[in-house]
Amino acid sequence: MEVKSQVKEWWDTAEQDYDAIAAHGVHSKEEKELWTEVITQLLGTDQKLKILDMGTGTGFLALLLADMGYEVTGADWAKSKLEKAQEKMERAGKFVNFVVEDAEKLSFEAEQFDAVVSRHLIWTLANPGSAFKEWARVTKPGGKVLTDIPAKRSHPGSHHFGEEIGKELPFYNGADPGEVITMLEAAGLVNVSVRVFNKTMLVEGEKL
């Protein structure tokens, strides 16, 4: 829990300008079109879908999903980031249910969502296998879990949390796609596969 507490404390620093980092949002028309294409291909266009955006941060993906018409819950354990997400939501005139949650221990009842999605999250997790089991648990039968895979050696030792914390995080410096697939299958997902969209590697699995 000490490592998790340190990671949470780092993310929940109110003064931190999360959106100023290019990788943390959609900053161009091209990026928005890319993520709209990705979501459409992987989840379809059924606007009745209930989607959980896990690790929503300041809500860029949740708000994009809401703009596409889905019913969206954006979850994160950093209250300061969710406050900014709420502000962005009000400016956009959309609705997302933003809630405080631990990715590795969700409070939702089982089979609540048609899909669980996450971006730039699994490299921060102390127990990604536990998180995947939770994401599968709250997904409805026939639903999907979708996450991106951080590239190997994508972070220097000092990135964000520092080397001492980083060495305790399994995917801190990137993940092998095969290892992520194995973990998702162990979580009970089937038909797990990897896709690449413009150098972004995504893995999806289905809940039986």
Side-chain angles (χ1 to χ4, degrees):
M1 283 300 297
E2 181 181 358
V3 170
K4 286 185 64 173
S5 297
Q6 291 173 315
V7 172
K8 181 179 180 180
E9 181 180 1
W10 192 93
W11 284 121
D12 210 9
T13 302
E15 295 76 19
Q16 182 192 95
D17 191 355
Y18 182 86
D19 289 329
I21 302 174
H24 288 173
V26 172
H27 299 284
S28 70
K29 179 181 177 182
E30 291 74 18
E31 283 183 283
K32 183 174 181 179
E33 290 176 347
L34 169 65
W35 279 97
T36 300
E37 176 188 356
V38 169
I39 296 301
T40 299
Q41 285 194 31
L42 298 182
L43 298 183
T45 57
D46 183 356
Q47 296 184 346
K48 294 181 181 178
L49 294 181
K50 295 177 64 176
I51 301 178
L52 172 63
D53 176 25
M54 193 63 246
T56 193
T58 59
F60 94 90
L61 184 54
L63 290 169
L64 176 61
L65 290 164
D67 193 49
M68 294 173 70
Y70 300 109
E71 182 180 339
V72 186
T73 296
D76 204 288
W77 64 358
K79 292 182 181 179
S80 63
K81 300 301 176 287
L82 291 177
E83 290 170 359
K84 292 185 178 180
Q86 189 79 20
E87 293 171 2
K88 290 162 70 173
M89 179 192 75
E90 292 170 359
R91 290 196 300 268
K94 303 294 179 180
F95 178 74
V96 174
N97 179 32
F98 287 113
V99 293
V100 177
E101 291 283 342
D102 180 342
E104 299 172 10
K105 190 176 181 180
L106 301 175
S107 66
F108 305 112
E109 294 184 5
E111 301 179 359
Q112 293 294 301
F113 300 97
D114 296 291
V116 176
V117 302
S118 75
R119 178 175 181 264
H120 290 352
L121 174 63
I122 68 171
W123 70 272
T124 72
L125 299 176
N127 301 290
S130 297
F132 293 160
K133 289 177 182 177
E134 279 292 274
W135 302 357
R137 181 183 66 80
V138 301
T139 302
K140 298 176 183 178
K144 291 185 176 181
V145 172
L146 170 66
T147 186
D148 64 343
I149 302 177
K152 279 289 189 180
R153 295 175 294 280
S154 54
H155 297 148
S158 60
H159 187 70
H160 284 359
F161 321 124
E163 187 173 359
E164 288 303 307
I165 295 177
K167 68 183 182 181
E168 301 296 327
L169 307 177
F171 298 147
Y172 176 72
N173 199 20
D176 177 81
E179 187 175 3
V180 178
I181 289 173
T182 298
M183 282 190 178
L184 288 171
E185 290 174 338
L189 300 174
V190 299
N191 301 324
V192 182
S193 61
V194 173
R195 301 196 191 192
V196 178
F197 294 86
N198 192 27
K199 299 181 180 180
T200 298
M201 189 179 299
L202 301 167
V203 60
E204 64 170 329
E206 184 178 352
K207 172 78 170 289
L208 280 177

